């Protein structure tokens, strides 16, 4: 149990490999009606698949970290942050993009974000980056650096559960240096990593452990019940 380790866990699954159609159909059948409706809303198949996968990743996390076999009822705050309606269950957060999905679980509030590199980031610099962040970005790695800052801010705002209430440029993460690392700020523990063309971040009150799965790992865990 996470309470014994005094840590949060971020589960990651990168989706570079193509998911088999049969696997997608079988996992889709596990979804409750509301989640299936959300998956069906996506225009592109890759986005639909990752919407399915991130839900299954949360089921996996609950099963293996909390021995919770049945998914509790999920609802959202007025700002769109998901949480379990029964507050006796753990806190969680999730995110997905075209390149991967992530899900964070904890005994305390938590936020996470994953994002493929934002290639048109230059036009967003003034609007989204603090002046200290802009000053420290080198031309050769500006795409990865911008995406890193974006995920750090997203994970923090998702942790806070407020949504984007202020201009993103008011948040300064310039002390979070390098493509991967960890830092403590504002009473929170942050981790981040930029791998190839994907960046992810997590904001938690406890140290964050990383657990990475493959599509096969996830599917085979559910296979006996499909």
């Amino acid at each position: 149990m996470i309470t014994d380790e005094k840590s949060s866990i971020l589960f990651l699954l990168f989706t570079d490999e193509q998911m088999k159609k049969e696997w997608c159909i079988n996992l889709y059948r596990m979804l409750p009606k509301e989640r299936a409706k959300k998956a069906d809303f996506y225009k592109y198949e890759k986005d639909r698949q990752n919407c399915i996968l991130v839900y299954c990743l949360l089921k996996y996390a609950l099963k293996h970290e909390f021995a919770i076999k049945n998914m509790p009822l999920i609802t959202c705050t007025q700002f769109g942050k998901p949480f379990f309606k029964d507050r006796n269950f753990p806190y969680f957060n999730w995110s997905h993009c075209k390149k991967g999905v992530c899900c964070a679980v904890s005994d305390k509030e938590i936020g996470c974000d994953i994002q493929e590199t934002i290639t048109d980031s230059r036009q967003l610099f003034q609007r989204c980056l603090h002046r200290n962040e802009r000053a420290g970005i080198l031309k050769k790695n500006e795409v990865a650096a911008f995406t890193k800052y974006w995920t750090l801010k997203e994970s923090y705002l998702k942790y806070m559960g407020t949504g984007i209430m202020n201009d993103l440029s008011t948040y300064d993460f310039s002390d979070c240096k390098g493509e991967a690392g960890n830092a403590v700020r504002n009473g929170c523990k942050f981790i981040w990593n930029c791998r190839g063309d994907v960046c992810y971040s997590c904001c938690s009150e406890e140290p964050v452990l990383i657990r990475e799965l493959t599509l096969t790992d996830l599917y085979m865990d559910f296979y006996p019940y499909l």
Side-chain angles (χ1 to χ4, degrees), residues 165-219:
M165 300 289 288
N166 300 310
D167 189 332
L168 287 178
S169 66
T170 61
Y171 300 98
D172 181 10
F173 283 85
S174 59
D175 57 335
C176 297
K177 301 184 183 301
E179 293 187 353
N182 60 81
V184 179
R185 59 196 320 276
N186 298 329
C188 298
K189 296 175 175 62
F190 290 86
I191 63 160
W192 65 92
N193 197 352
C194 293
R195 290 176 34 173
D197 54 359
V198 182
C199 292
Y200 63 84
S201 297
C202 187
C203 172
S204 172
E205 296 179 28
E206 303 289 353
V208 180
L209 303 176
I210 302 292
R211 295 192 182 159
E212 185 175 337
L213 280 71
T214 65
L215 278 172
T216 302
D217 293 332
L218 186 64
Y219 184 79

